[in-house]
């Protein structure tokens, strides 16, 4: 990305450098009396980090990324091609309250990066998405919203789905985690935001999806098949075991032996160490990576099983009278959401770009007249079969899994009308005739039909799918 990170009028002029020309970016270690590292006595390839108050008589070292100061400003690698942190470039909570000191999110403004714009465009063109999963590399836990705001901004029923349904399943899939509470977290801490303009905050608050970010890999918990390492919370033990193992398992490709190098700014030292692609946060190739993948496909499959699933379970068209080739027909339909989640978040249908569920009775416009019930009838938001646990009404939420529905005869707002026409291409309003309870709806129409015009039902739910049912008039 073309960003002037160091604000010197030049773009991407000072990124990492392959100083020794071996095709890899590793590390440079050099003697430094104030350094935080010493050469490990047990394995001189490993640089051991000193404890905060640890004393030593050994030579201290500093270890930095293989790099040099390309623009002469006294800093190294401060203006690379990486550009901004895209995860903090989204238009939800991007501004800091103290904007004059720190603007908050990354980028010149919210969605300033082409990557963030592409992501936003994808989601706004695919508004059927109800679950959003973002994968990051290291940490070994999952964040749910919010990063910018406190939990009081999350509707009670949404919080219950996050923390009483999804969270316990994620913990269940990590039986070897000694502290399960660290597995499922809100990034916001007390009165301190974790970050600004965070992607999952936008996906939940503005797009209307259950969103979460998983930091996939915990080196201490998720390592598998590494001889000499038995889960100790000691990175030096892990490093020593991996140094030996990688010689045969990876043909030595993830560690470069230290070799003397005279750095242009830092002086004499050595280039070498770990190749960051493998040990900079990513799961180790082989059994460890397979383990991480196995855990998380199961979690994704579990979440997919929660999604709403709408069906027209019953439908009939009964002729009440037939005079002069014109029939009066009563149409009845029963709709059911057999999925576990409702078709929207607690406030999802009220967000810009979203809409309530609806069902339409479609026929030849020149031969079908609607006597009772319009061509389209709004169904509100249809609950799922799951009883939402511990969801006391708060902040506009609903309790016990039952979503408050808009009265059947209430006229739609202008925006709802616009969204209905945009999504279906036909004008239609909400007419009396839809009864609303839990995960089912009963809908009726009275229509007059000239001749034998066919009828069909079209059930449309933004997050729950579309179903078409052809009617036989009896």
């Amino acid at each position: 990305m073309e960003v002037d990170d160091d604000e010197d009028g030049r773009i991407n002029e000072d990124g990492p450098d392959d100083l020794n020309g071996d095709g890899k970016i590793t590390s440079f270690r050099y003697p430094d009396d104030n350094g935080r590292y010493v050469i490990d006595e047990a394995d001189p390839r490993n640089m051991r980090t000193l404890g905060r108050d640890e004393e030593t008589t050994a030579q201290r070292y500093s270890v930095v990324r293989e790099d040099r100061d390309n623009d002469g400003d006294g800093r190294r690698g401060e203006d690379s091609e990486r550009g901004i942190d895209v995860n903090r470039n989204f238009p939800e909570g991007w501004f800091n309250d103290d904007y004059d000191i720190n603007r908050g999110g990354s980028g010149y403004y919210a969605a300033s990066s082409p990557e963030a714009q592409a992501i936003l465009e994808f989601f706004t063109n695919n508004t059927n998405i109800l679950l959003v999963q973002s994968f990051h590399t290291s940490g070994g836990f999952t964040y749910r919203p919010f990063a910018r705001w406190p939990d009081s901004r999350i509707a009670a029923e949404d919080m219950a789905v996050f923390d009483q349904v999804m969270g316990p399943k994620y913990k269940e899939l990590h039986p070897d985690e000694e502290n399960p509470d660290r597995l499922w977290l809100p990034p916001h801490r007390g009165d301190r935001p974790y970050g600004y303009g965070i992607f999952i905050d936008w996906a939940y608050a503005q797009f209307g999806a259950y969103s979460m970010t998983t930091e996939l890999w915990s080196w201490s918990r998720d390592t598998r098949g590494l001889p000499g390492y038995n889960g100790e919370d000691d990175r030096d033990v892990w490093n020593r075991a991996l140094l030996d193992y990688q010689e045969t398992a990876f043909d030595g490709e993830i560690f470069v032996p230290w070799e003397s190098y005279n750095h242009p700014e830092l002086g004499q030292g050595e280039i070498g160490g770990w190749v960051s692609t493998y040990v900079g946060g990513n799961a180790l190739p082989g059994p460890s990576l397979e383990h991480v993948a196995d855990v998380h496909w199961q979690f994704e499959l579990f979440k997919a099983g929660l999604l709403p699933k709408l069906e027209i379970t019953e439908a009939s068209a009964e002729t009440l009278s037939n005079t002069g080739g014109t029939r009066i027909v009563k149409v009845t339909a029963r709709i059911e959401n057999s999925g576990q989640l409702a078709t929207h978040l607690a406030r999802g249908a009220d967000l810009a770009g979203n809409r309530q569920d609806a069902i339409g009775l479609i026929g030849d416009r020149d031969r079908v007249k609607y006597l009772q019930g319009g061509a389209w009838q709004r169904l509100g938001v249809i609950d799922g079969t799951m009883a939402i646990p511990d969801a006391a009404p708060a902040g506009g939420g609903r309790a016990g899994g039952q979503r408050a529905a808009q009265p059947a005869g209430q006229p739609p707002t202008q925006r709802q009308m616009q969204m209905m026409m945009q999504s279906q291409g036909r004008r239609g309003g909400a007419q009396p005739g839809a009864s609303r309870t839990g995960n089912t709806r009963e809908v009726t129409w009275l229509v007059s039909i000239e001749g034998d015009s066919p009828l069909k039902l079209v059930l449309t739910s933004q997050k729950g799918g579309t179903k078409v049912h052809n009617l036989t008039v009896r």
Side-chain angles (χ1 to χ4, degrees), residues 203-209 345 347-355 415 462:
Y204 171 76
Q206 295 193 33
F207 181 75
L345 302 182
R347 305 183 187 109
D350 297 326
L351 298 175
N354 290 349
R355 60 171 172 80
R415 183 176 67 81
Q462 190 172 29

Side-chain angles (χ1 to χ4, degrees), residues 344-391:
H344 273 294
L345 302 182
R347 305 183 187 109
D350 297 326
L351 298 175
N354 290 349
R355 60 171 172 80
Q356 297 181 16
D357 306 325
I359 188 168
L361 178 62
I362 309 301
D364 186 332
R365 67 177 63 194
D366 296 323
R367 302 172 70 182
V368 176
K369 294 182 180 179
Y370 298 90
L371 307 177
Q372 179 179 315
W376 289 99
Q377 297 200 46
R378 286 182 290 118
L379 303 173
V381 174
I382 305 179
D383 283 311
T385 60
M386 176 187 296
I388 305 299
D390 300 329

Side-chain angles (χ1 to χ4, degrees), residues 144-218:
R144 52 94 170 147
F146 277 119
R148 173 65 177 91
W149 313 112
D151 280 354
S152 58
R153 293 236 187 166
I154 299 179
E157 65 202 81
D158 297 339
M159 181 77 79
V161 172
F162 278 126
D163 289 353
Q164 303 297 323
V165 178
M166 296 180 182
K169 181 62 177 182
Y170 190 73
K171 294 177 182 180
E172 176 189 317
L173 292 169
H174 292 85
D176 47 356
E177 171 58 52
E178 294 181 358
N179 180 17
D181 289 341
R182 71 172 292 275
L183 287 169
W184 186 266
L185 303 164
H188 190 280
R189 295 289 188 271
D191 60 352
R192 179 174 59 86
Y194 170 80
Y196 303 86
I198 301 293
F199 170 63
I200 60 170
D201 286 7
W202 174 85
Y204 171 76
Q206 295 193 33
F207 181 75
Y210 294 101
S211 58
M212 58 215 74
T213 293
T214 296
E215 303 284 354
L216 288 165
W217 159 250
S218 167

Side-chain angles (χ1 to χ4, degrees), residues 125-452:
N125 286 335
N126 293 274
T127 58
N128 59 311
I129 297 170
L130 185 59
L131 291 171
V132 173
Q133 175 68 60
S134 176
F135 286 115
H136 294 191
T137 54
S138 64
F141 54 84
T142 289
Y143 278 145
R144 52 94 170 147
F146 277 119
R148 173 65 177 91
W149 313 112
D151 280 354
S152 58
R153 293 236 187 166
I154 299 179
E157 65 202 81
D158 297 339
M159 181 77 79
V161 172
F162 278 126
D163 289 353
Q164 303 297 323
V165 178
M166 296 180 182
K169 181 62 177 182
Y170 190 73
K171 294 177 182 180
E172 176 189 317
L173 292 169
H174 292 85
D176 47 356
E177 171 58 52
E178 294 181 358
N179 180 17
D181 289 341
R182 71 172 292 275
L183 287 169
W184 186 266
L185 303 164
H188 190 280
R189 295 289 188 271
D191 60 352
R192 179 174 59 86
Y194 170 80
Y196 303 86
I198 301 293
F199 170 63
I200 60 170
D201 286 7
W202 174 85
Y204 171 76
Q206 295 193 33
F207 181 75
Y210 294 101
S211 58
M212 58 215 74
T213 293
T214 296
E215 303 284 354
L216 288 165
W217 159 250
S218 167
W219 65 268
S220 60
R221 185 192 66 223
D222 297 322
T223 295
R224 297 291 188 274
L226 182 58
Y229 179 72
N230 299 303
E232 297 92 339
D233 188 18
D234 187 330
R235 193 60 182 254
D236 290 316
V237 174
W238 189 85
N239 284 344
R240 295 168 195 145
L242 182 57
L243 280 164
D244 291 334
Y245 180 65
Q246 62 95 30
E247 293 286 357
T248 55
F250 306 118
D251 296 324
E253 287 295 318
I254 70 174
F255 183 87
V256 175
W258 298 100
E259 293 185 354
S260 178
Y261 184 82
N262 188 18
H263 195 282
E265 292 108 32
L266 300 173
Q268 191 63 43
E270 296 170 290
I271 289 178
W274 299 109
V275 178
S276 61
T277 303
Y278 298 99
V279 296
N282 295 315
L284 291 174
S288 297
L289 180 57
E290 291 172 2
H291 164 70
V292 169
D294 185 60
V295 166
H296 289 90
W297 77 254
Q298 292 184 67
F299 186 52
E300 294 309 302
L301 186 63
F302 167 77
K303 289 188 295 180
L306 301 176
L307 288 169
K309 184 179 180 182
L310 266 59
E311 301 284 352
I312 301 172
T313 57
E314 298 176 17
S316 63
E318 179 185 359
T319 299
L320 302 182
S321 67
N322 189 343
T323 305
T326 298
R327 291 179 292 174
I328 304 300
V329 176
K330 179 181 180 182
V331 176
T332 304
R334 186 176 189 275
I335 299 97
E336 179 178 343
N337 178 9
S338 60
Q340 297 193 59
L341 291 177
T343 53
H344 273 294
L345 302 182
R347 305 183 187 109
D350 297 326
L351 298 175
N354 290 349
R355 60 171 172 80
Q356 297 181 16
D357 306 325
I359 188 168
L361 178 62
I362 309 301
D364 186 332
R365 67 177 63 194
D366 296 323
R367 302 172 70 182
V368 176
K369 294 182 180 179
Y370 298 90
L371 307 177
Q372 179 179 315
W376 289 99
Q377 297 200 46
R378 286 182 290 118
L379 303 173
V381 174
I382 305 179
D383 283 311
T385 60
M386 176 187 296
I388 305 299
D390 300 329
R398 60 188 165 89
Q402 298 302 310
R403 185 179 300 271
Q406 194 170 353
Q410 181 172 328
T413 66
Q414 181 179 3
R415 183 176 67 81
Q416 288 169 335
M417 286 284 288
Q418 290 171 343
M419 291 304 301
M420 183 69 73
M421 289 186 288
Q422 290 169 7
S423 63
Q424 296 299 322
R426 290 192 60 172
R427 183 179 301 273
Q431 300 292 329
S435 62
R436 308 157 189 271
T437 56
N439 70 316
T440 63
R441 298 288 187 272
E442 299 279 350
V443 188
T444 59
W445 290 265
L446 280 179
V447 295
S448 67
I449 305 175
E450 295 181 10
D452 295 322

Side-chain angles (χ1 to χ4, degrees), residues 1-6 11-12 15 77-86 106-108 113 115:
M1 183 182 301
E2 295 187 351
V3 177
D4 181 12
D5 295 296
D6 55 0
I11 294 175
N12 298 347
E78 81 288 349
D79 195 356
S80 69
E81 293 180 358
R82 179 178 184 270
I84 69 169
D85 183 349
V86 176
S106 66
Y108 297 121
S113 68
E115 293 90 345

